[in-house]
Amino acid sequence: MTMQTPADPRTRFETAGTDLGDALDTFGRAYDGSGFVGSRTERPFSYRFRVVGDQTMSFRSTLFDARAAGEAGTDDEYVVMWTSQGGGTITAGGEEVSYAPGTPVVFPTEGSFRFELQDVRESLVHFDRGYLEGIAAELGQTGPGPLVFDHAQTPRAEDLRAWNAQVRRAAQTVLGSAPVSPIAMAETARDTALAMLRTFPHRQLAPTAPVPEGASSRVREAIEFLHAFAHTPITTTDVAEHVGLSVRGLQQAFQRQVGTAPNAMLRGVRMDRVREELQRGTPGETTVAEVAVRWGFAHLGRFSAAYAKRFGEYPRETLGH
């Protein structure tokens, strides 16, 4: 009896050239881009783009000897990027982050972002969105939910050292010329995903929003929007515009199908997030006041009373458990 060797799960793609237009088209397709523009610098222009990996994780490298700017997005993936030469800026949510050699950044995970770069040698690790959320759920012992990375917060030096060491180990497997088994690739992806989650500050949003049975598609979409963007200063008007209803139409639909108002549901979602943070927090390091204010509850007396009514205990008791 002979045992069949499992096929190497990696796929490879590489392209290079000296045409600036071709380069912008290539990177625009790779990063769901729009409005990509470029201009030459004093360097002779050339570009190279390489991808090696499988459906869960891929390593990418970019050489781009020019200036470029535009809008990009990575809706289906989480991406860590760092440069060995050159740098630029990433702007999302009104926050601009500069990057240069030695400062890895996570691409913003909520919609598209603006970027500018010049004469870069970039390395990137891409994770499939569902895969990384599943790993995060295992760590948190909750259902999978969207991850929001704080791309403006610098990781701790010791965490970065651990991340860099894991990337070097993973690169030997992913980028090596020797055949790789599916098990070896899976273990490498998992170890690298764990390293990313331990290194780069993030939080996990609630799992898929519970939707009342019989709710219309627009109400379902509105509830999912509330859960996904509860950490931002959204209003009922924002929700209504997102689903294509008037504010009054949205409120009426919620009362009929959910039994509450959109803003009341939003307050409940935010209170659930406060509880999640307090459960993970440590007395002496975390305070009820800072968590409550971060989630929009400025009047602590009213907040504590509402919290106790919702959960059967006061927030300080949750933090003390």
Side-chain angles (χ1 to χ4, degrees):
M1 177 178 176
T2 59
M3 294 188 64
Q4 227 176 3
T5 302
D8 190 322
R10 295 172 299 174
T11 59
R12 300 172 184 269
F13 171 80
E14 185 167 352
T15 184
T18 57
D19 186 287
L20 180 57
D22 289 345
L24 295 173
D25 288 344
T26 295
F27 293 119
R29 289 193 300 270
Y31 291 99
D32 194 21
S34 62
F36 276 29
V37 294
S39 61
R40 295 175 181 270
T41 63
E42 63 276 5
R43 294 188 180 187
F45 176 72
S46 65
Y47 77 96
R48 184 177 67 246
F49 179 54
R50 184 189 186 202
V51 182
V52 183
D54 65 4
Q55 293 179 335
T56 57
M57 180 184 75
S58 64
F59 277 37
R60 305 189 181 191
S61 60
T62 296
L63 178 153
F64 188 84
D65 281 329
R67 298 183 191 89
E71 189 167 298
T74 51
D75 289 343
D76 298 328
E77 296 178 303
Y78 295 100
V79 181
V80 184
M81 181 273 292
W82 63 98
T83 68
S84 58
Q85 291 183 35
T89 59
I90 289 175
T91 305
E95 206 163 27
E96 181 179 282
V97 175
S98 298
Y99 62 92
T103 58
V105 296
V106 179
F107 283 178
T109 51
E110 298 173 275
S112 60
F113 57 90
R114 295 285 305 172
F115 75 91
E116 294 183 7
L117 58 81
Q118 179 175 328
D119 297 335
V120 293
R121 307 291 188 273
E122 292 179 343
S123 297
L124 310 95
V125 179
H126 285 235
F127 291 98
D128 173 76
R129 178 172 287 269
Y131 174 76
L132 192 67
E133 290 173 2
I135 298 294
E138 292 177 20
L139 293 177
Q141 297 182 336
T142 63
L147 302 171
V148 178
F149 286 87
D150 186 348
H151 69 286
Q153 185 173 340
T154 303
R156 299 184 305 173
E158 58 267 35
D159 293 333
L160 275 178
R161 284 194 292 269
W163 163 255
N164 291 334
Q166 174 55 36
V167 167
R168 286 193 295 269
R169 287 192 295 269
Q172 292 176 352
T173 299
V174 177
L175 303 179
S177 57
V180 174
S181 72
I183 292 177
M185 186 66 193
E187 289 300 313
T188 299
R190 180 178 177 81
D191 288 345
T192 310
L194 290 170
M196 178 185 177
L197 293 168
R198 290 167 180 151
T199 301
F200 298 97
H202 67 281
R203 55 191 170 82
Q204 184 173 0
L205 302 184
T208 304
V211 179
E213 186 176 350
S216 67
S217 59
R218 285 187 175 180
V219 168
R220 286 175 178 271
E221 187 179 0
I223 293 173
E224 290 169 356
F225 184 81
L226 285 174
H227 278 259
F229 291 93
H231 62 292
T232 69
I234 57 171
T235 65
T236 300
T237 300
D238 297 323
V239 182
E241 290 178 353
H242 178 75
V243 300
L245 290 173
S246 66
V247 170
R248 181 171 178 80
L250 179 70
Q251 290 170 332
Q252 290 175 338
F254 261 67
Q255 289 293 351
R256 288 195 309 268
Q257 300 177 38
V258 184
T260 189
N263 62 343
M265 174 173 278
L266 179 60
R267 283 196 302 272
V269 171
R270 287 173 173 161
M271 199 167 291
D272 290 344
R273 303 292 171 76
V274 171
R275 183 171 176 81
E276 291 169 7
E277 286 200 30
L278 293 178
Q279 288 173 329
R280 296 194 302 267
T282 302
E285 297 179 3
T286 304
T287 69
V288 170
E290 68 178 359
V291 176
V293 169
R294 183 161 59 248
W295 284 100
F297 299 100
H299 193 291
L300 296 181
R302 285 200 296 266
F303 162 74
S304 293
Y307 186 100
K309 183 178 180 180
R310 186 174 181 89
F311 300 115
E313 64 179 12
Y314 286 99
R316 64 178 180 274
E317 296 176 287
T318 304
L319 179 60
H321 286 170

